[in-house]
Amino acid sequence: MFNRAIRCAAGAIAATVLSWPALAEESPISFVSGPLQGAAAENVKHKEESLAHSAFGAVKSDSAVFKSGPMLAWVDWSRLGGHYRWRDNDVGSLSNEVKDIFDVTGFTILESDGITVNGYAAQYRKISLIGIDRRCGVFAMTRTSHLIQGFACAPAARAFRVQDVMEGISINGVIGP
């Protein structure tokens, strides 16, 4: 009986500890304006992968998740080594990834355009997810060897502009409003 009580108490403590809010992590990516202004970076990741031949350098990547109320965003900043440039960005694949993340059957494209944001060539899509009350904006911005891509999602009742999300991104010494 005592062992059961101890195990029950240990389980309750573990559940409490694991359900505490996530602490902000150090990330070069932040939001300094727009609907995600001041949101803390969570699930921060840094990767570095060598290109096919070591003389070509490496691909460096930083990513983070941001939450502000019911709004959720993910941003990835990738840099190519050497004198390489990004040839394209694929907002179509990002749209499918968002569909898979939210486990829905599909999406409807509400808006799509190519613009310039803080000196970066940008493409974006605003999509409505089928089966749940969410609208998302997926985006990709490129300039020489830099690619900034991601998505932001919120309930359909909370309107936001994808352009405002892109314009609000700040990366230490690279991009900012």
Side-chain angles (χ1 to χ4, degrees):
M1 177 81 160
F2 181 73
N3 285 339
R4 284 188 206 154
I6 294 295
R7 278 188 257 143
C8 181
I13 292 169
T16 302
V17 169
L18 294 175
S19 66
W20 285 356
L23 298 175
E25 299 178 49
E26 197 65 36
S27 171
I29 307 166
S30 63
F31 281 92
V32 296
S33 68
L36 290 153
Q37 180 177 359
E42 301 175 15
N43 198 21
V44 175
K45 294 182 181 168
H46 175 78
K47 291 190 312 186
E48 191 166 327
E49 298 176 32
S50 294
L51 294 173
H53 187 277
S54 62
F56 297 142
V59 177
K60 297 177 184 176
S61 175
D62 289 279
S63 65
V65 173
F66 300 87
K67 296 176 188 171
S68 178
M71 192 165 203
L72 169 73
W74 171 81
V75 179
D76 177 83
W77 169 43
S78 298
R79 287 92 62 206
L80 288 173
H83 298 287
Y84 288 92
R85 297 166 110 24
W86 293 100
R87 286 190 165 182
D88 60 6
N89 54 56
D90 194 3
V91 293
S93 292
L94 279 171
S95 301
N96 285 320
E97 286 181 33
V98 169
K99 175 185 73 94
D100 294 342
I101 288 168
F102 286 96
D103 196 27
V104 295
T105 57
F107 58 86
T108 303
I109 299 171
L110 305 173
E111 180 182 349
S112 182
D113 202 358
I115 59 175
T116 300
V117 175
N118 297 326
Y120 280 71
Q123 294 219 327
Y124 72 89
R125 270 187 183 174
K126 184 119 185 207
I127 60 176
S128 177
L129 300 177
I130 296 173
I132 63 172
D133 183 36
R134 287 255 170 197
R135 290 203 175 161
C136 300
V138 297
F139 57 87
M141 302 184 287
T142 57
R143 183 172 69 194
T144 59
S145 62
H146 294 260
L147 170 65
I148 302 166
Q149 61 183 349
F151 68 84
C153 296
R158 183 174 176 182
F160 71 93
R161 289 178 1 116
V162 183
Q163 300 91 318
D164 293 338
V165 171
M166 292 187 294
E167 289 170 357
I169 295 172
S170 176
I171 297 177
N172 298 346
V174 176
I175 187 173

